[in-house]
Amino acid sequence: MPFVDAEAVSKREYDVIVVGSGAGGGQTAYTLTMEGARVLVLEAGRKYDPTTETAMFQTPDMAPLRGTDTPEKPFGFYDATVDGGWQVPGEPYTQASKDKSQRFEWWRARMLGGRTNHWGRISLRNGPYDFKPRSRDGLGFDWPIAYEDMAPYYDKVEMLVGIYGSNEGLENTPNSPDGCLLPPPKPIVSDLLVQKHSAKLGFPTIACHRAVLTAPLDWKNTPAKLHPGNTAAQEIIARDMRRRSPCLWATPCGNGCSTRSNYQSTTVHLPPALETGKLDIVTDAMVAEVMLAKDGRASGVRFIDRHSGKSMQATARVVVLAASACETVRILLNSKSAQFPQGLANSSGKVGKYLMDTVGADLQGQIPLLENLPPHNEEGASGLHMYVPWYGYQAQKAGKLGFARGYHIEFIGGRRMPQYYTTEGLEWITGGSYGAKLKEDARRYYGSMIGFAGRGEMIPNEHSYCEIDPQVNDKWGIPVLRFHWKWSEHETRQAAHMQKTFAELIESMGGRVRTPPEKDGAKAIARGGSIIHELGGALMGEDPQRSVLNKWCQAWDVKNLFLADGSPFPSNADKNPTLTIMANAWRVADHILDRMRRKEL
Ligand SMILES: Cc1cc2nc3c(=O)[nH]c(=O)nc-3n(C[C@H](O)[C@H](O)[C@H](O)COP(=O)(O)OP(=O)(O)OC[C@H]3O[C@@H](n4cnc5c(N)ncnc54)[C@H](O)[C@@H]3O)c2cc1C
Ligand code: SF4
C-alpha cells in the first residue's frame, strides 16, 4: 500500500481515513499503521519528498534576489513550503471586519507533511498548570485530561522524533524521563550573554527543546518502548532510526532536511508508516465534507481530486480529521445534513468557536560587546539553542502583573550565514555610511544584533472564531472560512510586558534598543494568526452542551469521528503547540485502536 491514485481508493477497504498529513495526521497515520490498522491518508497538497527536493546546500547567493522573501515565498526563496503561504491561489478566506486589529492571518502549506516541512521545531511540553488553567485563575477552560494523561505520549513522541533539551526542574516546565531527550547543542556567545544578564534580572535562560537530532537515535532500546510486544513495528522503526543522520550544524532547517535530521512528517512519520504496507496516501485530494450514514455514523469523506477536479468518495470504519485546526473546522461546518443542519458534530453550536493563536511581540537590540568578534561559525542547529521559560507564576498568583497568563522568550543572535539583509538598516547605529566605511561597519556589527520575541498564552474568548462565509467559495466550489478576531487586555498587557522585559535585558547587556519599547500593548501585539499557532475551534470538554469532543477527541455527536490536530485544544499555553498536537494524536490513535479491537468502532 503506497501512494495511490484518487480513483483507486473507492475499490479498497480501510479501517481509518486520516485527513491531512502534517503533525497531527502524520502521527495518527504512524501510530495506527504501526499497530496494524489499514489507513488512507488524504492530503490536499502535492507529493513532497524532502530527501530529494530540499535545497539544503544552496547558499543565498545562488538564488534569485539572493534568496530574499517575496509575496510568493514569504520565508525566502529556499523555504520548504512549495505550495502555500498567507494566501493560497484560488483558495481564499475572508475577514468579518475591515479593522486590521481584528484580522486573522491564516498560514497554510498545501503539501505532503503540511507545515511540518518548515516549522521552527521548538518542542516544549505543556506543564501541569497548562491543562487546568481555569482551575487556577477562573479564566478560559480546563482540559478534560491532566498532564499525567499526556506525559506517556510526550515521552513516546520525544523518543520517536528526537528532541534536544535539558531537564531543569523548573515550575510548570516538566522534566522528561531519562532517555527521552537528546543532548542540547552548545550555547553560542550571545546565548551565554543573555543567560548571564537574565540571571541578574531574576529569570533563567535554559536549553531550548527542539526537534533536531544532536546525536543518533537510540535504535537499540527505543523501539521496544514505543511499540511494546510488537516486534514487526520495532524492526521497522529501528531500521528507520538508523537511516536518520545527526545534524550537520550547517543548513537552515526551514528549508527542510534531506538527511532527515530534524522532524518533518515526511521524513519521520510517513516513511515507517508506509513501510508497514498498511498505508495508502492520496495527494492532491481536497476533502470537502464528511459523509454521514443513516445510522448517524460517519461513512467516509467526499474529496476533490485536484488533478481532474472530480468529486470522489472514500469510506472507512473511522474518520480522523487532522487538516489543521481551522481547516478541520471548515470541513465540519461544510458537512451539513438533515441531522446536522449547522454542520457536523455541531449540536452544541461550538464548532468554530474559541479560535486561538499565540501572543507575540518583539524587540531588537545591538550589543557593543559582540562587535568585531573573530570570524567563527554560529550556525549551530539552525534555531534556538536556549530560551527563557515563563518565570512569573508566583507574581501572577499574587496579582502583581496585571495579566493572567505567561510567555516564554525566544531570542536569536550570532554570526549566521550572511543573507542579503544581514547588514541592512545599520543607519540607526552608524548614522549612515558609504564605501569603505560601510564595509568596515558591516564587519563590525555583523553578529552583534540580538532579536527577542515573546510567545505567550492567549485566553480563548467569544469574539475570536471562524464560520462559513455565506458568499465565497474556493476554486473547487467549497465554501470558505470567514474570521472574527479580538485580543483581550490580558494579551495586550502581556505584549507590553514583553517589550519592557526585552528592553531591560538589552540594556542590562550594555546594548541599545533598535526602537523604543512599545508601552501600548495593542500596538506591540502581533496580528491574530501571525504566529502560526492556530488552535481551538472544536474544543474537547466534559459537557456535550459546551464542547464538541469528549476527552478522546471523539465527537460527542458522531461516535466514529475523531479530531487529531490543534482544533480540540481548550487552551493555548505559551509552549509552542506541535509537540502537544503529536502527543495528543498518539493518545487518540491508541484509543481508536483499543476501541476497534473491542469492536466498539
Ligand atoms: C514558519 C512556521 C514556524 C513554526 N514554528 C513552530 C515551532 O517552532 N514550534 C511549534 O510547536 N509549532 C510551530 N509552527 C506551527 C506548526 O507548524 C503547526 O502547529 C503544526 O504543523 C500543526 O500541525 P497540523 O497537523 O495541525 O497542521 P499541518 O502541519 O498544517 O498539516 C495539515 C495538513 O492538512 C492538509 N489539509 C488541509 N486541508 C485539507 C483538506 N481539506 N483535505 C485534505 N488535506 C487537507 C494540509 O495540506 C496539510 O498538509 C510553525 C509554523 C510555521 C508555518
Ligand atoms: S541544521 Fe541540522 S537538522 Fe537543520 S536542516 Fe541542517 S542538518 Fe538538518
Side-chain angles (χ1 to χ4, degrees), residues 19-26 42-45 75 79 81 107-116 118-124 285-288 322-325 327-328 330-331 410 478 531-535 564-566 575-579 581:
V19 178
S21 62
L42 293 171
E43 165 54 53
F75 285 98
D79 175 58
T81 308
W107 177 276
R108 292 166 290 173
R110 287 271 181 270
M111 61 195 295
L112 191 67
R115 289 172 294 177
T116 68
H118 71 134
W119 66 310
R121 276 105 186 160
I122 298 168
S123 302
L124 307 172
M286 179 78 194
V287 171
S324 81
E327 189 72 36
T328 286
R330 181 183 175 205
I331 294 170
E410 302 177 1
I478 307 170
I531 307 300
I532 323 183
H533 291 164
E534 85 196 53
L535 294 176
D565 48 24
K575 285 88 173 181
N576 316 44
T578 309
L579 184 75
I581 291 177

Side-chain angles (χ1 to χ4, degrees), residues 332-356:
L332 290 176
L333 291 175
N334 278 328
S335 306
K336 290 188 179 153
S337 60
Q339 197 178 338
F340 295 105
Q342 307 182 77
L344 192 62
N346 196 15
S347 63
S348 63
K350 299 290 185 197
V351 174
K353 307 290 191 227
Y354 308 117
L355 186 59
M356 291 165 276

Side-chain angles (χ1 to χ4, degrees), residues 3 36 82 102 175 221 265 270 272 275 310 326 397 400 463 467 489 491 497 504 554 568 576 580:
F3 288 90
V82 288
Q102 293 181 22
N175 287 351
N221 298 306
S265 171
L270 298 180
E275 208 171 318
K310 277 208 285 194
C326 296
K397 203 171 168 192
K400 290 183 185 162
H463 308 286
E467 61 188 350
E489 283 201 354
E491 288 89 39
H497 192 271
E504 281 168 6
Q554 178 181 33
N576 316 44
T580 305

Side-chain angles (χ1 to χ4, degrees), residues 115-116 118-126 154 158 161-164 206-212 253 262-263 381-388 408-412 453-455 531 533 574-582:
R115 289 172 294 177
T116 68
H118 71 134
W119 66 310
R121 276 105 186 160
I122 298 168
S123 302
L124 307 172
R125 291 182 178 214
N126 279 6
Y154 280 133
E158 286 175 350
V161 160
I163 309 278
Y164 69 67
I206 60 172
C208 189
H209 291 216
R210 281 185 72 240
V212 168
C253 287
N262 61 32
Y263 167 76
S382 164
L384 304 192
H385 288 191
M386 302 196 88
Y387 85 117
V388 177
H408 70 260
I409 306 173
E410 302 177 1
F411 55 91
I412 203 102
R455 295 290 179 256
I531 307 300
H533 291 164
D574 71 279
K575 285 88 173 181
N576 316 44
T578 309
L579 184 75
T580 305
I581 291 177
M582 293 194 265

